[in-house]
Amino acid sequence: MKNSDKSKEVVLAELEKARDRIAALETEKKQVEQRYDLLKESIARYLDLAEIILVALDTKANITMIGGKSYAILGYEAHELIGQNWFSLCLPPEWYDKVSATFQQIVSGSIQQVEYYENEILTKSGKKRFIAWHNSLLTDRNNAIIGILSSGIDVTQRRLAQLALQESENRYRTIVEIAQEGIWTIDAENYTTFVNAKMADILGYSVSEMIGRPIFDFLDAEEQVILKSKLKQRRAGKTEQYVIRLKHNNLKHIWAEVNTTPLVDEHETHVGSLAMLMDITERLHAEGLLRESERKYRLLFENMTSGFALHKIICDDHGKPIDYRYLELNPAFEKLTGVTSAVLLGKTLKDVMPDTEQYWIDIFGKVALTGEPVAYENFSRELGKYYDTWVFSPEKNLFAVIFTDITERKLAEEALREGDKQFRALFEQSALGVAKIDGPSGRFIEINQRYCDITGYSRQEMLAMEFRKITVPGDLQANLDQLAKLRTGELTTFRLEKRYQHKNGSVIWVNISVLPLWPQGMEPELFLEIVEDITERKKAAEKMQ
């Protein structure tokens, strides 16, 4: 009996120890589970903060797992993605064949895995995003490939920047090659590193004949002394404009107007110079021919209130006018147009206003070639002004323009004719809500249909109420504070986001722009309010958050 009792005590003791071990194991299990949950949460936070798309595909490219920023970037919910074929759902058609073929070769073991790859994906909204992928093979216990795990980063902005840079470089090359000015670069030792076709043509060489030659090869001894002094200015980091005489390949000389600037590397070390040159030989010759007659009309030229400009017509080989060059401008020209002589003199119309219609070149060409004057009123699209203009030819191939700015008169006339009609059309047909509101009372005086649609009230109902009635109380004070500043002249206009109470009881977000309709210094009477419904935008922003 005693032995039996003793055996029971031993068994009970062992059971107690077993329970303790089980309890300890349970505790350890919970701790492991907690650490696992914490690890999962940390990974999820990392993926979220790192803006990473995480996608797992089986060997048929079906989505088995997706996480990170995938939902935000793709625009899908989880149930819309899991089990779907990634290529069919999320690849643009032009990428499908290439990417899917590579995928099949990888999962079949035909080729090694592509650890890094960039391609476009298609979001639910139809927009395309460029993603940089890092890929890893998924294998089972027997090391057989069962899929691919890919993590991706949205590099759309980087790719767009690269494309923009490439496009900019292409445009730059095109501009350089078709420029009407010569472009010339030299290195720090004054050897030619680049000239465009125009520069070579100015001096009568081919581009290859000029590359690699010292710039002094194209100058006489006295001009070399001048240029050495100019190059010291480049080394000191100074830009400069000057006129210099160059040797043409036919041993004659040409005069060039030069705009030059220093070139430096990323360490601000001088590495050469860039110059833009224009052949002004013809212009200087023309100025010499005109010098005698200039004396006779210089006083009138300098003091006349009308704008005056002298030009030389440029014709093609068949005698058809194709451009003209600015030879002389008076001070009134600069005042009336806002364009200085430095910008125009020596340049052609197509240099400074390349989009000018051929119609005007034809008119001025006819005057220069036939001597028949013309008079007209016209609007300059480039300058945004109306002019009363008289064009005549002082001698063959030249034409002069005398003009007076009549913009104020024209605008006044146009305003009288069209002002009220245009405002009414804008008011009624605007895609935004527009209303005139009485300043002291806040009542609606006039209101368009779009404003009524935004608030849900009819026009009659709106005209019987004031804006305070439909403003959500919590937003009213900010509105009133801005209006107070408008009345005192502290503000000339203001914009504000606030909430309106729709007729159906819902709350809508609007962006209002408010402008005073009273003359400065007068008692505030009316103000104009322009309203945009931004409710959907606000909702979208909240979802993104």
Side-chain angles (χ1 to χ4, degrees), residues 455-467:
T455 63
Y457 291 95
S458 68
R459 196 181 298 239
Q460 285 184 332
E461 289 172 323
M462 291 293 289
L463 293 176
M465 66 175 70
E466 60 183 42
F467 77 89

Side-chain angles (χ1 to χ4, degrees), residues 43-159:
I43 292 173
R45 287 181 180 176
Y46 165 74
L47 291 173
D48 197 48
L49 290 173
E51 305 246 333
I52 290 175
I53 298 176
L54 193 65
V55 181
L57 306 179
D58 64 18
T59 57
K60 295 183 179 179
N62 294 323
I63 303 168
T64 57
M65 185 278 290
I66 191 160
K69 282 289 185 179
S70 302
Y71 303 119
I73 293 175
L74 292 169
Y76 289 101
E77 300 293 336
H79 70 273
E80 296 177 291
L81 292 170
I82 298 299
Q84 298 296 315
N85 185 275
W86 171 259
F87 301 139
S88 299
L89 185 64
C90 298
L91 278 189
E94 61 270 23
W95 284 91
Y96 183 93
D97 291 340
K98 181 179 180 181
V99 177
S100 61
T102 302
F103 175 86
Q104 292 302 327
Q105 289 177 313
I106 292 172
V107 297
S108 67
S110 300
I111 62 172
Q112 292 184 344
Q113 71 168 355
V114 180
E115 294 184 354
Y116 182 84
Y117 192 77
E118 292 186 9
N119 65 271
E120 283 183 311
I121 63 171
L122 194 64
T123 67
K124 185 176 181 180
S125 65
K127 292 183 178 179
K128 296 178 181 179
R129 310 296 298 175
F130 230 101
I131 307 297
W133 299 101
H134 287 274
N135 308 301
S136 297
L137 290 176
L138 298 175
T139 58
D140 60 15
R141 293 180 179 179
N142 298 319
N143 209 31
I145 297 172
I146 59 173
I148 287 181
L149 177 65
S150 300
S151 63
I153 299 176
D154 189 341
V155 294
T156 305
Q157 295 304 317
R158 188 197 76 193
R159 290 297 292 248

